[in-house]
Amino acid sequence: MEGGGGGGEEWLRPMDAEQLRECGHRMVDFVADYYKSIEAFPVLSQPGYLKELLPDSAPRQPDTLDSIFDDIRQKIIPGVTHWQSPNYFAYYPSNSSTAGFLGEMLSAAFNIVGFSWITSPAATELEVIVLDWFAKMLQLPSQFLSTALGGGVIQGTASEAVLVALLAARDRALKKHGKQSLEKLVVYASDQTHSSLQKACQIAGIFSENFRVVIADCNKNYAVASEAVSEALSIDLSSGLIPFFICATVGTTSSSAVDPLPELGQIAKSYDMWFHIDAAYAGSACICPEYRHHLNGVEEADSFNMNAHKWFLTNFDCSLLWVKDKSFLIQLLSTNPEYLKNKASQANSVVDFKDWQIPLGRRFRSLKLWMVLRLYGVDNLQSYIRKHIHLAEHFEQLLISDSRFEVVTRRTFSLVCFRLVPPTSDQDNGRKLNYDLMDGVNSSGQIFITHAVLSGKFVLRFAVGAPLTEEQHVDAAWKLLQDEATKVLGKMV
Amino acid sequence: MEGGGGGGEEWLRPMDAEQLRECGHRMVDFVADYYKSIEAFPVLSQPGYLKELLPDSAPRQPDTLDSIFDDIRQKIIPGVTHWQSPNYFAYYPSNSSTAGFLGEMLSAAFNIVGFSWITSPAATELEVIVLDWFAKMLQLPSQFLSTALGGGVIQGTASEAVLVALLAARDRALKKHGKQSLEKLVVYASDQTHSSLQKACQIAGIFSENFRVVIADCNKNYAVASEAVSEALSIDLSSGLIPFFICATVGTTSSSAVDPLPELGQIAKSYDMWFHIDAAYAGSACICPEYRHHLNGVEEADSFNMNAHKWFLTNFDCSLLWVKDKSFLIQLLSTNPEYLKNKASQANSVVDFKDWQIPLGRRFRSLKLWMVLRLYGVDNLQSYIRKHIHLAEHFEQLLISDSRFEVVTRRTFSLVCFRLVPPTSDQDNGRKLNYDLMDGVNSSGQIFITHAVLSGKFVLRFAVGAPLTEEQHVDAAWKLLQDEATKVLGKMV
């Protein structure tokens, strides 16, 4: 694969240190230039038609890096939604950072596949250490540390975290009640729980009629009322069903509500159910002492999850799962084929993370989390979180100052749920009005926000959390929303 | 998070284009230097005790990048198993490449979460295009293209690919036979099938007694005999069970055997079963016309999988799955919560890959595969594969030249299975002898090989496939094996 091409450029060999150096430097400049000019791009892409721009089969002969860069600029970037833009306020954030980026580079360079400890002891050991660090930052109970029966592991996403928890709970229940009892197993969650739980139930084979969705309490800011869970549970018990899993959320997707962990934990304990806590987004805030109380009750949890890849400067993917008793995961997920056997694993003296997750292979993801913690330090990470919450407070104050708007739910972290108040005569309770407002500001390319529906109200979500977002961006977004509001209200008259 | 630290170095801000540029350049040099000196490291790490080298909690104050680099050199690298070393012959390869590395960098820089088309149209569209390119390179039937009912998707690993296939098959069967019939569903595979299928069955709730493991035929180089599958199937049918899934392998893990696809496909078709093909490793070879015949029979498959992250220069993870009818995946894996709704998805005019996989979130992985295909081109990629197969042939010839060794199975691709022939008097048929040989060469740090067991024989595996491996490395490995053989044979006397 030597080959020389036109234009005097030498073709790439599969791997050559000096070519990697040269191309790598060029890519670093490309990436730095991208960040430098990121505000120039429409946040939400107005996509082209990539299919018509690219050939319909792979090239037989190599192209140059120059032509790749040209295509990225002209064909790829116009179809990218810029999650790292300071004007990105959609869904929840997905943080990149310099430290996280460097960690991704190094992890891609080693390119190890860390299924067993032996395949790179440093990868497993660093993960164990860093997850213990993080557990201490969150003041998780000591049973979640690697020094106890539990421990932490990096999953790809919160979906995988809740899935492995659900599967471990399922198998624990089937062992107790008999493997024919699958059809009786009941899962409890609120209508504000992330859809990944529903998907996990579909995968685990939980009967769809046994996925018990309890309507969250609009008077409790859309947290679930534990009494409502108890009530549903009593009915199921009297029908001969077997409640086995409760999922609570700290920071729901629609409105960042916090479910009552102590009460739900008590229910789970009373009925020998698995108690999972999904703090995917808001877990990051709980490293600050003033927000830690939202995790009170975690003592009763069997599993706890937060996403370092959301609001914690660690590039996607990096979802942290802790369990109180790792043996349930390992019983479910381990296999031990001859070709993976090795002295260390056979002696049971090491952790093999393949037995804690769905896939066999896994990347060296602890590197980026370690680098984020090392290069920023806990104090700065707390400041980072507080700054975003402060910006969300600021946005909330702006909303309150304009009587055309209302803040729909109490803000807890860095998400603000709001809407334009519809005229009382409005047929659809402001749905079209607010949809048009959202569509208007998103179509401008200047910001990107998304929506939710709460008690039938169409609500706009303003989630602060991109690393580059400053007060000026919040102010500009507010100005844009005000102007667009004037437009859409004007059209109603 | 401005802060200045000691030593005049400015602390990192969460994201700053110029800091990213400076640090990124330093990391590129670090990575290039790593590749330059990679042969100096023991391939299989002799790990230290990382826990004792690192503090037991995260730092409150930031550290410098210099101190990170020092720690990587002194504490991390000694515990890394160097999968990219030219002297790595273990398991199957996990290729890094300059193109793949650049793709990972760019993907980490955009750091988008591509669950729905709207979250970055380019990510979804490029994936569709590149998977179509790849399907054409493999000459997959046109039903697997996005222009038909099927299509391709990038999964994290082959484990996830077989899991989603199995789950789709399970739900198809339950829909047909009633949802109480889970306990009757039977899966067929050989004892050479990868353990990820067993794990998928555990996850899907398939009863363990219904995981039918057919012993592969030692006379067919450890491919399964279709007659043996038919026989097992007849017994199950007469017991009232429901056969619903057959997994065939092109390139088994232990010995790279190729199951008889046409015959197994016919069986699957006759009994309305799902037919999955796992070509995780050997799929790469099938881009060469002279190896394509190993895929004959893929016409009957419902799903086909190969790992671009093994032997195709695309950094981990990048596992390609094609299905003939995407609706089975989507029925199983889709959820449609309000907060993810958007015009494009509601209009059903786009692909939302969240509905083709276990997790919700996903990285922009098509970038790296696109860059591998563009920067190397199909001709060079074919040469790359052929070169490794040639090196494996060369190693095979070396083995044949030394009567102390035997080649245990016929070589098909770039894996050679061999062993030291034990004296006829040997109590354990050469197990200890060959284990000691393996342990000896691995302990030297000069190469890394792994083992398998075939018909009770302890067999050594020599898998050529690291991007930097040249004939000189194979020759040096052979010399090392010969010398170590002399030692371990000497000890027997």
Side-chain angles (χ1 to χ4, degrees), chain A residues 47-323:
Chain A
Y49 303 91
L50 196 54
K51 197 161 185 175
E52 286 163 28
L53 300 176
L54 296 187
D56 66 359
S57 61
R60 292 217 66 94
Q61 296 302 320
D63 284 319
T64 62
L65 189 55
D66 279 328
S67 68
I68 295 281
F69 279 133
D70 285 345
D71 272 7
I72 292 168
R73 279 190 206 94
Q74 291 159 24
K75 298 172 187 170
I76 303 295
I77 286 185
V80 168
T81 295
H82 300 280
W83 287 64
Q84 304 313 315
S85 166
N87 300 310
Y88 180 95
F89 303 102
Y91 306 110
Y92 277 132
S94 167
N95 284 182
S96 177
S97 69
T98 301
F101 179 72
L102 297 174
E104 285 284 12
M105 284 177 72
L106 190 57
S107 161
F110 288 138
N111 204 41
I112 61 117
V113 188
F115 45 84
S116 301
W117 176 87
I118 190 77
T119 65
S120 261
T124 298
E125 294 186 18
L126 188 63
E127 187 161 332
V128 170
I129 292 168
V130 174
L131 274 275
D132 277 353
W133 284 7
F134 215 111
K136 289 175 190 169
M137 284 162 53
L138 290 170
Q139 299 177 50
L140 296 185
S142 60
Q143 300 109 297
F144 288 99
L145 296 178
S146 68
T147 42
L149 292 179
V153 59
I154 301 179
Q155 305 278 334
T157 60
S159 307
E160 289 152 89
V162 73
L163 175 59
V164 298
L166 183 76
L167 290 167
R170 179 197 70 182
D171 281 13
R172 187 175 76 164
L174 291 177
K175 190 169 271 182
K176 185 172 169 191
H177 299 282
K179 63 184 181 172
Q180 317 282 347
S181 54
L182 180 66
E183 62 191 80
K184 292 186 184 168
L185 299 185
V186 188
V187 169
Y188 298 81
S190 95
D191 62 344
Q192 299 300 308
T193 304
H194 192 270
S195 60
S196 55
L197 178 63
Q198 182 201 334
K199 187 160 173 170
C201 287
Q202 290 164 200
I203 291 165
I206 303 303
F207 280 34
S208 57
E209 62 269 29
N210 292 347
F211 178 45
R212 198 68 67 240
V213 177
V214 179
I215 305 299
D217 191 338
C218 61
N219 297 317
K220 293 184 173 172
N221 215 24
Y222 297 96
V224 74
S226 61
E227 301 77 18
V229 174
S230 290
E231 205 172 306
L233 207 141
S234 299
I235 297 170
D236 289 332
L237 282 171
S238 65
S239 312
L241 295 172
I242 305 169
F244 84 108
F245 191 87
I246 298 184
C247 180
T249 308
V250 176
T252 59
T253 309
S254 293
S255 66
S256 69
V258 179
D259 286 334
L261 305 188
E263 291 82 354
L264 295 175
Q266 274 310 315
I267 295 174
K269 195 176 189 177
S270 306
Y271 296 97
D272 196 22
M273 299 166 74
W274 188 288
F275 183 37
H276 178 73
I277 298 175
D278 168 3
Y281 153 68
S284 295
C286 302
I287 66 162
C288 300
E290 67 272 30
Y291 295 101
R292 171 57 179 77
H293 66 92
H294 291 296
L295 296 189
N296 289 347
V298 67
E299 303 72 34
E300 297 304 334
D302 293 283
S303 47
F304 175 84
N305 170 236
M306 71 79 64
N307 285 347
H309 62 235
K310 278 198 165 63
W311 190 19
F312 203 80
L313 295 171
T314 312
N315 292 49
F316 186 87
D317 49 356
C318 192
S319 180
L320 314 185
L321 174 69
W322 288 268
V323 291

Side-chain angles (χ1 to χ4, degrees), chain A residues 18 25 35-36 56 60-61 63 109 136 170 179 199 202 209 332 338 354 357 374 379, chain B residues 18 25 35-36 56 60-61 63 109 136 170 179 199 202 209 332 354 357 374 379 451:
Chain A
E18 293 312 321
H25 284 309
Y35 275 100
K36 211 163 176 175
D56 66 359
R60 292 217 66 94
Q61 296 302 320
D63 284 319
K136 289 175 190 169
R170 179 197 70 182
K179 63 184 181 172
K199 187 160 173 170
Q202 290 164 200
E209 62 269 29
L332 163 75
E338 184 63 42
K354 72 181 176 62
Q357 61 171 22
R374 289 282 305 273
D379 287 353
Chain B
E18 293 313 321
H25 283 311
Y35 275 100
K36 212 164 177 176
D56 65 359
R60 293 217 66 94
Q61 296 303 320
D63 284 320
K136 289 175 190 168
R170 179 196 70 182
K179 62 183 182 173
K199 187 161 173 168
Q202 291 164 199
E209 63 269 30
L332 163 74
K354 72 182 175 63
Q357 62 172 20
R374 289 282 304 274
D379 286 354
H451 77 283

Side-chain angles (χ1 to χ4, degrees), chain B residues 126-201:
Chain B
L126 188 63
E127 186 161 333
V128 170
I129 292 167
V130 174
L131 273 276
D132 277 354
W133 284 8
F134 215 110
K136 289 175 190 168
M137 285 161 52
L138 290 170
Q139 299 177 51
L140 296 186
S142 60
Q143 299 110 297
F144 287 99
L145 296 178
S146 68
T147 42
L149 293 180
V153 58
I154 301 179
Q155 304 278 335
T157 61
S159 307
E160 288 153 89
V162 74
L163 175 59
V164 298
L166 182 76
L167 290 166
R170 179 196 70 182
D171 281 13
R172 188 175 76 165
L174 291 178
K175 191 170 269 182
K176 186 172 168 191
H177 299 283
K179 62 183 182 173
Q180 317 283 346
S181 54
L182 180 66
E183 63 191 80
K184 294 187 182 167
L185 300 185
V186 188
V187 170
Y188 298 81
S190 95
D191 63 344
Q192 299 301 308
T193 303
H194 192 270
S195 61
S196 56
L197 178 61
Q198 181 201 333
K199 187 161 173 168
C201 287

Side-chain angles (χ1 to χ4, degrees), chain B residues 343-390:
Chain B
K343 253 190 290 191
S345 298
Q346 296 301 101
N348 235 337
S349 63
V350 294
V351 173
D352 288 333
F353 275 131
K354 72 182 175 63
D355 300 335
W356 297 51
Q357 62 172 20
I358 303 288
L360 174 63
R362 59 205 317 274
R363 299 190 300 135
F364 195 164
R365 288 182 292 215
S366 54
L367 266 182
K368 60 185 170 185
L369 184 55
W370 177 66
M371 287 172 69
V372 164
L373 292 168
R374 289 282 304 274
L375 286 169
Y376 299 128
V378 177
D379 286 354
N380 283 334
L381 288 161
Q382 288 175 341
S383 306
Y384 176 74
I385 295 290
R386 287 175 182 134
K387 177 177 169 180
H388 287 159
I389 295 178
H390 172 76

Side-chain angles (χ1 to χ4, degrees), chain B residues 270-378:
Chain B
S270 307
Y271 296 96
D272 195 21
M273 298 166 73
W274 189 287
F275 183 37
H276 178 74
I277 298 175
D278 168 5
Y281 153 69
S284 295
C286 301
I287 67 162
C288 300
E290 66 272 31
Y291 295 102
R292 170 57 180 77
H293 66 93
H294 292 295
L295 296 190
N296 289 347
V298 68
E299 303 72 34
E300 297 304 335
D302 294 283
S303 48
F304 174 83
N305 170 237
M306 71 80 64
N307 285 346
H309 63 234
K310 277 198 165 64
W311 188 20
F312 202 79
L313 294 171
T314 312
N315 293 48
F316 186 88
D317 49 357
C318 192
S319 180
L320 314 184
L321 173 69
W322 288 270
V323 292
K324 207 178 256 174
D325 185 344
K326 58 180 174 267
S327 69
F328 293 112
L329 284 191
I330 294 171
Q331 279 168 42
L332 163 74
L333 296 168
S334 70
T335 56
N336 191 21
E338 183 64 43
Y339 48 79
L340 298 183
K341 286 182 182 165
N342 62 81
K343 253 190 290 191
S345 298
Q346 296 301 101
N348 235 337
S349 63
V350 294
V351 173
D352 288 333
F353 275 131
K354 72 182 175 63
D355 300 335
W356 297 51
Q357 62 172 20
I358 303 288
L360 174 63
R362 59 205 317 274
R363 299 190 300 135
F364 195 164
R365 288 182 292 215
S366 54
L367 266 182
K368 60 185 170 185
L369 184 55
W370 177 66
M371 287 172 69
V372 164
L373 292 168
R374 289 282 304 274
L375 286 169
Y376 299 128
V378 177

Side-chain angles (χ1 to χ4, degrees), chain B residues 425-475:
Chain B
S425 61
D426 193 29
Q427 299 271 325
D428 69 354
N429 190 19
R431 185 178 184 97
K432 184 172 181 311
L433 179 69
N434 281 284
Y435 181 89
D436 288 347
L437 173 59
M438 176 175 79
D439 201 38
V441 297
N442 286 347
S443 300
S444 77
Q446 292 178 62
I447 66 171
F448 181 23
I449 59 173
T450 54
H451 77 283
V453 170
L454 293 169
S455 303
K457 268 187 205 170
F458 191 91
V459 172
L460 304 182
R461 296 170 73 266
F462 190 85
V464 181
L468 288 166
T469 302
E470 302 286 343
E471 193 165 310
Q472 75 207 61
H473 302 105
V474 174
D475 289 341

